Protein backbone atom coordinates (compact mmCIF):
# COMPACT_ATOMS: atom_id res chain seq x y z
CA UNK A 1 0.00 0.00 0.00
CA UNK A 2 1.46 3.35 -1.05
CA UNK A 3 2.34 5.78 1.71
CA UNK A 4 0.46 9.10 1.56
CA UNK A 5 2.54 12.25 1.01
CA UNK A 6 2.92 14.60 3.96
CA UNK A 7 1.46 17.35 1.75
CA UNK A 8 -1.85 15.51 1.60
CA UNK A 9 -1.90 14.67 5.33
CA UNK A 10 -4.72 16.59 7.06
CA UNK A 11 -3.04 16.26 10.47
CA UNK A 12 0.11 17.92 9.11
CA UNK A 13 -1.87 20.94 7.93
CA UNK A 14 -3.87 21.10 11.14
CA UNK A 15 -0.68 21.17 13.22
CA UNK A 16 0.93 23.70 10.88
CA UNK A 17 -2.11 25.97 11.11
CA UNK A 18 -2.08 25.70 14.91
CA UNK A 19 1.63 26.62 15.11
CA UNK A 20 1.25 29.55 12.70
CA UNK A 21 -1.81 30.84 14.57
CA UNK A 22 -0.01 30.59 17.89
CA UNK A 23 3.10 32.36 16.57
CA UNK A 24 1.03 35.11 14.95
CA UNK A 25 -0.90 35.62 18.21
CA UNK A 26 2.30 35.97 20.25
CA UNK A 27 3.76 38.35 17.65
CA UNK A 28 0.59 40.45 17.64
CA UNK A 29 0.61 40.72 21.45
CA UNK A 30 4.29 41.77 21.43
CA UNK A 31 3.68 44.35 18.70
CA UNK A 32 0.71 45.73 20.64
CA UNK A 33 2.79 46.33 23.77
CA UNK A 34 5.70 47.71 21.74
CA UNK A 35 3.44 50.10 19.84
CA UNK A 36 1.71 51.25 23.02
CA UNK A 37 5.06 52.20 24.49
CA UNK A 38 6.06 54.00 21.29
CA UNK A 39 2.91 56.13 21.03
CA UNK A 40 2.43 56.94 24.72
CA UNK A 41 2.81 60.65 25.40
CA UNK A 42 5.88 61.78 27.29
CA UNK A 43 6.00 64.17 30.24
CA UNK A 44 7.50 67.52 31.08
CA UNK A 45 10.21 65.68 33.04
CA UNK A 46 11.15 63.75 29.89
CA UNK A 47 11.63 66.99 27.97
CA UNK A 48 13.67 68.63 30.71
CA UNK A 49 15.86 65.54 31.12
CA UNK A 50 16.47 65.14 27.39
CA UNK A 51 14.53 61.86 27.15
CA UNK A 52 13.39 61.44 23.54
CA UNK A 53 9.80 60.37 23.04
CA UNK A 54 8.08 59.86 19.72
CA UNK A 55 5.14 61.78 21.20
CA UNK A 56 6.56 64.51 23.47
CA UNK A 57 4.72 65.85 26.49
CA UNK A 58 2.30 68.80 26.23
CA UNK A 59 4.91 71.31 27.46
CA UNK A 60 6.76 70.92 24.17
CA UNK A 61 4.84 74.08 23.22
CA UNK A 62 7.36 75.96 25.43
CA UNK A 63 10.26 74.94 23.16
CA UNK A 64 11.55 75.63 19.71
CA UNK A 65 10.91 72.75 17.31
CA UNK A 66 13.17 72.09 14.35
CA UNK A 67 13.93 69.13 12.11
CA UNK A 68 17.28 67.63 11.15
CA UNK A 69 18.20 64.91 8.67
CA UNK A 70 19.14 61.69 10.43
CA UNK A 71 21.62 59.75 8.28
CA UNK A 72 20.93 56.46 10.02
CA UNK A 73 17.16 56.64 9.56
CA UNK A 74 17.39 58.43 6.21
CA UNK A 75 14.71 60.98 6.95
CA UNK A 76 14.15 64.09 9.03
CA UNK A 77 13.54 63.78 12.76
CA UNK A 78 12.21 66.37 15.21
CA UNK A 79 14.63 68.22 17.47
CA UNK A 80 13.16 69.82 20.57
CA UNK A 81 14.96 72.83 21.98
CA UNK A 82 17.77 73.12 19.44
CA UNK A 83 21.07 71.32 19.02
CA UNK A 84 24.15 71.22 21.20
CA UNK A 85 27.79 70.95 20.09
CA UNK A 86 27.62 67.16 19.84
CA UNK A 87 24.66 67.36 17.48
CA UNK A 88 22.15 65.97 19.95
CA UNK A 89 19.10 67.66 21.36
CA UNK A 90 19.92 70.11 24.12
CA UNK A 91 16.31 70.63 25.27
CA UNK A 92 17.19 74.16 26.37
CA UNK A 93 16.12 76.65 23.71
CA UNK A 94 12.69 77.88 24.65
CA UNK A 95 10.24 79.72 22.43
CA UNK A 96 7.40 81.91 23.63
CA UNK A 97 3.95 80.66 22.77
CA UNK A 98 1.29 83.36 23.03
CA UNK A 99 3.70 85.40 25.13
CA UNK A 100 4.77 82.62 27.51
CA UNK A 101 7.40 79.89 27.65
CA UNK A 102 6.41 78.58 31.09
CA UNK A 103 3.16 76.76 30.37
CA UNK A 104 2.72 74.12 33.06
CA UNK A 105 1.97 70.52 32.17
CA UNK A 106 -1.64 70.97 33.26
CA UNK A 107 -2.11 74.22 31.32
CA UNK A 108 -0.49 72.84 28.18
CA UNK A 109 -2.51 69.62 28.39
CA UNK A 110 -5.72 71.65 28.65
CA UNK A 111 -4.76 73.66 25.56
CA UNK A 112 -4.13 70.44 23.64
CA UNK A 113 -7.44 69.02 24.83
CA UNK A 114 -9.28 72.09 23.54
CA UNK A 115 -7.37 71.90 20.27
CA UNK A 116 -8.00 68.20 19.73
CA UNK A 117 -11.70 68.52 20.51
CA UNK A 118 -11.83 71.58 18.26
CA UNK A 119 -10.28 69.70 15.35
CA UNK A 120 -12.90 66.99 15.81
CA UNK A 121 -15.92 69.27 16.29
CA UNK A 122 -14.97 71.39 13.28
CA UNK A 123 -14.35 68.25 11.17
CA UNK A 124 -10.87 69.36 10.06
CA UNK A 125 -10.23 65.94 8.54
CA UNK A 126 -13.08 66.45 6.10
CA UNK A 127 -10.61 68.55 4.11
CA UNK A 128 -7.19 68.19 5.73
CA UNK A 129 -4.89 65.30 6.61
CA UNK A 130 -3.63 64.93 10.18
CA UNK A 131 -1.02 62.27 10.92
CA UNK A 132 -2.01 60.37 7.78
CA UNK A 133 -5.75 60.46 8.43
CA UNK A 134 -8.27 62.59 6.61
CA UNK A 135 -8.87 64.04 3.17
CA UNK A 136 -6.60 65.56 0.55
CA UNK A 137 -8.81 68.46 -0.50
CA UNK A 138 -6.78 70.96 1.57
CA UNK A 139 -3.12 71.05 2.73
CA UNK A 140 -1.75 68.43 5.12
CA UNK A 141 -1.54 69.82 8.67
CA UNK A 142 0.86 67.33 10.28
CA UNK A 143 3.79 69.78 10.10
CA UNK A 144 1.80 72.99 9.52
CA UNK A 145 3.48 74.69 12.49
CA UNK A 146 6.82 74.49 10.66
CA UNK A 147 5.53 75.77 7.33
CA UNK A 148 7.81 78.74 6.44
CA UNK A 149 4.74 80.64 5.23
CA UNK A 150 3.93 81.28 8.90
CA UNK A 151 7.48 82.24 9.83
CA UNK A 152 9.13 85.67 10.05
CA UNK A 153 9.95 85.69 6.33
CA UNK A 154 6.64 84.23 5.21
CA UNK A 155 3.58 86.17 4.07
CA UNK A 156 1.09 85.20 6.78
CA UNK A 157 2.35 87.34 9.66
CA UNK A 158 2.31 90.43 7.48
CA UNK A 159 -1.03 89.55 5.91
CA UNK A 160 -2.74 89.10 9.28
CA UNK A 161 -0.91 92.01 10.91
CA UNK A 162 0.35 89.83 13.74
CA UNK A 163 3.85 89.79 15.24
CA UNK A 164 4.14 86.09 16.06
CA UNK A 165 3.47 82.85 14.24
CA UNK A 166 0.93 81.58 16.74
CA UNK A 167 -1.06 84.82 16.69
CA UNK A 168 -1.09 84.80 12.88
CA UNK A 169 -2.32 81.21 12.80
CA UNK A 170 -5.03 81.91 15.37
CA UNK A 171 -6.18 85.01 13.47
CA UNK A 172 -6.39 83.04 10.23
CA UNK A 173 -8.39 80.25 11.86
CA UNK A 174 -10.91 82.73 13.24
CA UNK A 175 -11.26 84.73 10.02
CA UNK A 176 -10.10 82.55 7.08
CA UNK A 177 -12.28 84.31 4.50
CA UNK A 178 -10.36 87.54 5.07
CA UNK A 179 -7.06 85.92 4.04
CA UNK A 180 -7.44 84.07 0.72
CA UNK A 181 -4.26 82.02 0.61
CA UNK A 182 -5.35 79.08 -1.50
CA UNK A 183 -7.51 78.40 -4.53
CA UNK A 184 -9.70 76.31 -2.23
CA UNK A 185 -10.56 78.83 0.45
CA UNK A 186 -11.14 77.65 4.00
CA UNK A 187 -14.72 78.35 5.13
CA UNK A 188 -15.46 80.37 8.23
CA UNK A 189 -16.17 77.73 10.88
CA UNK A 190 -17.01 80.09 13.71
CA UNK A 191 -13.82 79.25 15.62
CA UNK A 192 -13.57 81.21 18.87
CA UNK A 193 -10.38 82.79 20.24
CA UNK A 194 -10.08 80.03 22.85
CA UNK A 195 -10.59 77.31 20.25
CA UNK A 196 -8.08 78.96 17.91
CA UNK A 197 -5.46 79.09 20.67
CA UNK A 198 -6.04 75.41 21.43
CA UNK A 199 -5.91 74.45 17.75
CA UNK A 200 -2.58 76.23 17.29
CA UNK A 201 -1.21 74.45 20.37
CA UNK A 202 -2.47 71.17 18.91
CA UNK A 203 -0.72 71.93 15.60
CA UNK A 204 2.54 72.80 17.34
CA UNK A 205 2.45 69.63 19.42
CA UNK A 206 1.60 67.54 16.35
CA UNK A 207 4.63 68.96 14.52
CA UNK A 208 6.89 67.65 17.31
CA UNK A 209 5.74 64.03 16.91
CA UNK A 210 8.26 61.70 15.30
CA UNK A 211 6.24 60.35 12.36
CA UNK A 212 9.06 58.39 10.69
CA UNK A 213 9.47 60.98 7.96
CA UNK A 214 5.78 61.52 7.20
CA UNK A 215 4.77 63.46 5.18
CA UNK A 216 7.44 62.46 2.67
CA UNK A 217 7.57 65.81 0.90
CA UNK A 218 8.12 67.73 4.13
CA UNK A 219 11.91 67.82 3.76
CA UNK A 220 11.57 69.39 0.31
CA UNK A 221 9.84 72.51 1.65
CA UNK A 222 12.39 75.30 1.69
CA UNK A 223 12.98 76.43 5.25
CA UNK A 224 11.12 73.54 6.88
CA UNK A 225 14.23 71.59 7.91
CA UNK A 226 17.32 72.68 9.86
CA UNK A 227 15.45 75.72 11.15
CA UNK A 228 16.59 77.73 8.11
Amino acid sequence: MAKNSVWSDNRFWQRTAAWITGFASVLLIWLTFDTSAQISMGTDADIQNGVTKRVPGPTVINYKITYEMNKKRQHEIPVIGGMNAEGTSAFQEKEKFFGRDDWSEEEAAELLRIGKLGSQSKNCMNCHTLLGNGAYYAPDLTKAWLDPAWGPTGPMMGMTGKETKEEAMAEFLMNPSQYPTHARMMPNLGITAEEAKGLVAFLKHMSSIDTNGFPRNFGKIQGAVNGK
Side-chain angles (χ1 to χ4, degrees):
M1 184 176 180
K3 186 177 180 180
N4 290 333
S5 170
V6 68
W7 305 112
S8 62
D9 188 347
N10 287 337
R11 294 191 62 188
F12 168 77
W13 289 112
Q14 290 172 352
R15 291 172 181 174
T16 300
W19 276 104
I20 292 175
T21 301
F23 175 76
S25 299
V26 171
L27 180 62
L28 181 60
I29 293 171
W30 178 81
L31 287 173
T32 299
F33 281 102
D34 181 67
T35 302
S36 297
Q38 293 282 344
I39 65 175
S40 61
M41 183 181 287
T43 64
D44 183 53
D46 291 330
I47 295 176
Q48 293 188 25
N49 294 327
V51 177
T52 301
K53 290 282 189 176
R54 285 189 178 270
V55 183
T59 52
V60 73
I61 63 174
N62 291 324
Y63 295 84
K64 182 178 181 180
I65 301 168
T66 57
Y67 269 69
E68 302 289 341
M69 172 61 75
N70 184 288
K71 293 182 179 179
K72 181 178 180 180
R73 294 173 61 180
Q74 290 299 301
H75 59 69
E76 301 83 12
I77 62 171
V79 179
I80 313 302
M83 302 285 283
N84 62 22
E86 287 71 37
T88 57
S89 183
F91 288 85
Q92 292 178 348
E93 187 176 358
K94 286 197 168 186
E95 178 180 71
K96 288 188 181 297
F97 186 74
F98 288 102
R100 294 178 55 187
D101 61 8
D102 60 350
W103 294 90
S104 69
E105 198 157 22
E106 292 74 20
E107 291 173 322
E110 177 60 16
L111 274 182
L112 296 188
R113 186 189 71 83
I114 293 172
K116 182 178 181 181
L117 291 178
S119 71
Q120 295 170 340
S121 65
K122 302 300 181 182
N123 293 319
C124 295
M125 288 195 296
N126 275 2
C127 296
H128 297 278
T129 306
L130 288 77
L131 297 171
N133 298 304
Y136 292 88
Y137 183 79
D140 180 273
L141 297 180
T142 305
K143 307 297 182 188
W145 172 261
L146 298 170
D147 188 332
W150 298 99
T153 60
M156 294 308 298
M157 287 173 60
M159 185 182 296
T160 58
K162 301 300 180 180
E163 297 183 356
T164 66
K165 178 191 297 188
E166 61 272 20
E167 290 173 331
M169 295 180 84
E171 169 64 19
F172 176 81
L173 289 170
M174 289 187 289
N175 304 288
S177 59
Q178 295 183 21
Y179 311 105
T181 59
H182 198 273
R184 297 169 177 171
M185 289 180 59
M186 177 176 168
N188 193 321
L189 300 174
I191 296 174
T192 66
E194 182 185 31
E195 288 173 332
K197 194 173 184 178
L199 282 166
V200 177
F202 179 65
L203 290 174
K204 183 171 185 179
H205 180 262
M206 186 162 54
S207 75
S208 71
I209 297 174
D210 187 343
T211 55
N212 283 328
F214 177 85
R216 293 298 174 186
N217 63 345
F218 170 67
K220 298 179 182 178
I221 301 176
Q222 185 176 4
V225 179
N226 301 318
K228 301 176 183 178

